[in-house]
Amino acid sequence: MRGIILAGGRGTRLYPATLAVSKQLLPVFDKPMIYYPLSILMLAGIREILIITTPRDLPAFEALLGDGSAFGLSLSYAEQAEPSGLPEAFVIGERFLDGQGCALILGDNLFHGDQLGTRCREAAARSSGATVFAYQVTDPGRYGVVSFEPDGTVTSIEEKPAAPKTNWAVTGLYFCDPEVVSIAKGLEPSARGETEIVDVLNAYRARGDLTVSLLGRGNVWLDTGTHDSLYEASSFVRAIELRSGVKIACPEEIGLQLGYLDRATILNRATQMGVTDYGNYLRKMAV
């Protein structure tokens, strides 16, 4: 399975901060926002990842992440000139996916919690169908809302329903089999002129091949697309890291734990980071 991070769009809700830079390059406390979705794909056991962004921002992502070797990954890049809906990521990434299944994660989503890596690896291991991750919210009418059977089989997904059937919101993390490309290609734009990820999921649901993985207590899902939510996410990461002494979404650390990197490589990376808290953290790992 291969991974895609969708980091396009104009980030208009974060103006003026994003007038000249992608929102996924803004810091969430002590590291760029894109480190967080990148780390989730790593925890899922995915090493080949495509980053889709705008023509303006692509060089900046390349400068930040390079070819991925600093994390033990293989990174590729593609352009999305204009936002035309989340399913377009599967179409843009068709050649990259090369007939394999795909994990798509939105570049402004932050996940953290117990057994998250295990859940992602389980979803990645499914040979057919699709898996969505859902999180309980107090205002489900603002989101895509999923209903399901006790065994996790999805019975309905509705986009911003007036009368939500549950309070489980669909998050920005999707695992799909290779059929997702043909499904995405067959979609018609909605009334707002974009293809909709809900239509992809409902195509799987219609054939009884859509499963939901519930992120219950002990898990956190944050969307960092507004000034308030970006501040809240930074405060959350800061609080956890200062209390525990362990960094959230440190891809070098994950690469070391998974055996992608050795300690000498980590130490070299620490030297690149200089005399910073992040660099010192990497040095401790290299001891």
Side-chain angles (χ1 to χ4, degrees):
M1 176 168 281
R2 294 179 175 174
I4 296 177
I5 301 175
L6 186 54
R10 292 182 290 271
T12 54
R13 292 184 297 166
L14 286 168
Y15 277 1
T18 52
L19 283 171
V21 65
S22 167
K23 68 178 176 181
Q24 289 87 5
L25 293 173
L26 296 177
V28 178
F29 184 47
D30 58 349
K31 60 191 75 69
M33 186 186 298
I34 197 168
Y35 273 33
Y36 296 87
L38 182 70
S39 296
I40 294 299
L41 295 183
M42 293 181 71
L43 291 173
I46 296 171
R47 299 184 69 177
E48 296 176 271
I49 298 170
L50 176 68
I51 296 170
I52 299 177
T53 187
T54 67
R56 182 199 71 176
D57 296 315
L58 194 150
F61 281 100
E62 288 183 314
L64 173 67
L65 302 172
D67 63 1
S69 58
F71 315 119
L73 305 175
S74 174
L75 297 183
S76 303
Y77 300 87
E79 295 180 356
Q80 183 187 44
E82 293 292 335
S84 300
L86 304 187
E88 189 184 27
F90 301 116
V91 179
I92 293 172
E94 179 178 14
R95 181 175 296 181
F96 165 79
L97 294 176
D98 192 26
Q100 296 192 38
C102 173
L104 171 65
I105 187 168
L106 304 188
D108 62 355
N109 275 214
L110 185 154
F111 296 85
H112 179 68
D114 184 46
Q115 299 298 310
L116 186 56
T118 299
R119 289 171 174 268
C120 288
R121 289 190 295 273
E122 289 174 350
R126 293 191 177 101
S127 59
S128 65
T131 301
V132 296
F133 284 73
Y135 189 79
Q136 284 185 302
V137 296
T138 57
D139 50 353
R142 294 179 51 220
Y143 303 92
V145 176
V146 58
S147 303
F148 46 87
E149 299 289 353
D151 65 356
T153 301
V154 175
T155 56
S156 72
I157 292 186
E158 300 175 285
E159 183 66 23
K160 298 179 180 178
K165 296 177 182 177
T166 74
N167 64 344
W168 289 95
V170 176
T171 70
L173 177 60
Y174 318 91
F175 287 78
C176 303
D177 67 17
E179 292 297 314
V180 71
V181 174
S182 61
I183 292 173
K185 283 184 173 182
L187 296 180
E188 294 292 334
S190 66
R192 64 187 187 124
E194 298 183 3
T195 56
E196 305 290 347
I197 192 66
V198 168
D199 292 335
V200 172
L201 301 177
N202 273 323
Y204 280 105
R205 182 192 60 79
R207 63 193 199 196
D209 220 0
L210 179 62
T211 301
V212 62
S213 182
L214 304 179
L215 299 175
R217 292 185 179 182
N219 291 273
V220 172
W221 168 55
L222 298 170
D223 177 338
T224 55
T226 68
H227 291 288
D228 284 340
S229 60
L230 181 59
Y231 178 83
E232 290 169 0
S234 294
S235 298
F236 171 79
V237 172
R238 179 180 182 274
I240 296 295
E241 292 189 353
L242 292 182
R243 176 64 63 89
S244 68
V246 177
K247 289 199 175 297
I248 296 175
C250 175
E252 295 93 347
E253 181 177 24
I254 298 171
L256 179 64
Q257 292 172 342
L258 294 176
Y260 302 163
L261 303 173
D262 57 27
R263 296 187 183 278
T265 303
I266 294 293
L267 185 58
N268 181 63
R269 181 70 170 170
T271 301
Q272 292 178 323
M273 296 295 103
V275 185
T276 62
D277 180 65
Y278 197 89
N280 291 335
Y281 186 78
L282 296 181
R283 289 184 187 89
K284 290 179 181 178
M285 285 191 293
V287 174

